[in-house]
Amino acid sequence: MSDSELLTIVYQDEYLVVIDKPSGLLVHRSWIASDAKQFAMQMLRDQLGQHVFPVHRLDRPTSGVLVFALSSEIARALNEQFAERDIKKTYHAVVRGYVDDAGIIDYALKEEHDKIADKQAQADKPAQDAVTEYTCIDRVELPFKVSKKHDTSRYSLVKLMPKTGRKHQLRRHMSHIRHPIIGDTRHGEGRHNRFFREHFDCHRLLLAATAIEFRHPVTAEQLSIEIEIPDILKRPFHQ
């Protein structure tokens, strides 16, 4: 593995390791994404020279903090914390429009199924509770006509704190309040995604997991691991 392929490790001890996963990288091999040639789990295993065990996941287009255990026992202990919602996660995102200074999105979500991967899943399962807190960090109005209605375009940088862990929760919740995340090809808005590609050379989902807090499974110490907001998310606000 060359230096250019090395993953950025933001925390490591003898029990676990936390990386900053790049956008576009799958956590582990998946037959759904047959185009993928690299996977965080295999890359980290090769980088460390030992087996690693994923304890949660990030969507392929989402970047940021991702925790791996270095043994199956530690993975089991961390999985219990995730299942009991003892883990605090923070994300940052760029969204369309000016969001409120702060708010709580309490909107139940029906499970989103992939046609291939979830063909055995129960289609009529009732919606599950889903809660996201958000805070606006910055706003910008750009002198570009992206939509037909307005001569300028407004965007917000938001901090998102999910209280539940539903599939695509943050993307769906921000779309629900009509502030979709830029770069979201499924729940977002094509004109704004295209504008960011052309004007900011941005070819990714502008969503990053920037902090995670959990109890160390061995020492019981409260670990709080934080990374910088990626420059690509801050770029529109420093014109």
Side-chain angles (χ1 to χ4, degrees), residues 36-221:
K37 300 291 185 286
Q38 289 187 309
F39 314 91
M41 185 176 166
Q42 282 79 9
M43 289 174 70
L44 186 60
R45 177 198 64 198
D46 294 346
Q47 189 169 327
L48 298 178
Q50 69 176 101
H51 283 295
V52 296
F53 302 79
V55 295
H56 67 120
R57 62 187 294 276
L58 287 177
D59 290 340
R60 185 178 185 177
T62 305
S63 68
V65 288
L66 182 64
V67 182
F68 288 88
L70 297 179
S71 72
S72 57
E73 293 78 19
I74 296 298
R76 217 167 14 249
L78 286 170
N79 279 328
E80 286 176 11
Q81 285 192 57
F82 275 93
E84 293 165 8
R85 298 183 186 174
D86 285 343
I87 309 271
K88 291 182 183 175
K89 291 187 277 188
T90 302
Y91 294 74
H92 282 80
V94 178
V95 302
R96 188 199 70 192
Y98 281 3
V99 300
D100 294 338
D101 289 344
I104 297 175
I105 306 165
D106 188 346
Y107 179 68
L109 296 170
K110 281 189 77 72
E111 221 168 305
E112 258 188 354
H113 294 307
D114 182 278
K115 286 180 184 176
I116 301 170
D118 301 318
K119 61 183 178 182
Q120 306 294 335
Q122 183 183 338
D124 57 351
K125 196 173 175 183
Q128 297 173 296
D129 68 303
V131 179
T132 302
E133 288 185 15
Y134 68 88
T135 304
C136 185
I137 304 300
D138 205 351
R139 298 182 180 95
V140 68
E141 184 169 13
L142 300 176
F144 296 95
K145 186 180 178 72
V146 177
S147 70
K148 293 176 182 176
K149 290 182 181 177
H150 308 288
D151 292 330
T152 59
S153 298
R154 293 176 168 185
Y155 302 97
S156 299
L157 177 64
V158 292
K159 180 164 77 167
L160 300 168
M161 293 146 288
K163 303 304 175 186
T164 51
R166 308 304 175 201
K167 187 176 181 181
H168 298 163
Q169 175 175 316
L170 299 178
R171 293 156 68 175
R172 296 171 72 188
H173 268 178
M174 295 314 294
S175 180
H176 173 69
I177 63 169
R178 303 188 185 283
H179 293 291
I181 297 174
I182 301 302
D184 187 345
T185 55
R186 184 164 183 174
H187 306 284
E189 201 170 289
R191 285 174 296 190
H192 292 275
N193 295 347
R194 189 161 51 250
F195 169 67
F196 268 70
R197 284 196 300 271
E198 294 169 356
H199 190 76
F200 294 108
D201 193 26
C202 175
H203 301 269
R204 58 159 289 184
L205 175 71
L206 291 185
L207 175 65
T210 49
I212 191 163
E213 189 176 322
F214 57 94
R215 190 178 66 258
H216 194 287
V218 175
T219 67
E221 173 193 359

